[in-house]
Amino acid sequence: MPDPKPKDPLHGVTLEMILNRLVERLGWPEMGRAVDIRCFQFNPSIKSSLQFLRRTPWARTKVEELYLHTLEATSRTEQK
C-alpha cells in the first residue's frame, strides 16, 4: 500500500509560502542572520526576495534548508 504522505517535505510548498512562514516565525532580521543575502537585510519584502531567490539557486537552497530546520524545531517543541 503506497504511503499517502509524500517523502519530500517541500512537496506542494511554494517559495512564497516558505518565505511567508519564515517571516512569521523568525522575522526578517533573524532570516538575514541565518542567510546572508541583502534582500533579507535591507528593505526586505516578499516580492524582492522571490525575485532574487528564483534567480539564485544557492540562496534558494539555503532558504529551503532554513525552512526545513524551522519545521523540525517546531515539531520537536510541539511534541514536548
Side-chain angles (χ1 to χ4, degrees):
M1 181 178 231
D3 185 10
K5 187 174 180 183
K7 301 229 185 268
D8 180 8
L10 295 175
H11 179 77
V13 181
T14 66
L15 185 55
E16 185 172 6
M17 291 167 73
I18 289 172
L19 286 174
N20 283 320
R21 289 178 185 165
L22 286 173
V23 169
E24 182 180 299
R25 289 187 177 133
L26 303 176
W28 290 111
E30 182 60 33
M31 289 171 57
R33 284 188 287 279
V35 181
D36 188 19
I37 53 178
R38 291 181 58 85
C39 64
F40 287 176
Q41 298 168 348
F42 301 99
N43 294 325
S45 73
I46 297 294
K47 183 179 177 182
S48 67
S49 298
L50 284 171
Q51 289 175 343
F52 177 76
L53 294 171
R54 287 178 178 142
R55 292 188 325 253
T56 316
W58 66 265
R60 181 181 183 140
T61 299
K62 288 192 173 281
V63 169
E64 289 172 346
E65 289 170 354
L66 176 63
Y67 175 73
L68 292 173
H69 177 74
T70 303
L71 279 181
E72 290 171 7
T74 302
S75 69
R76 280 194 305 263
T77 57
E78 289 175 354
Q79 289 176 356
K80 291 183 180 180

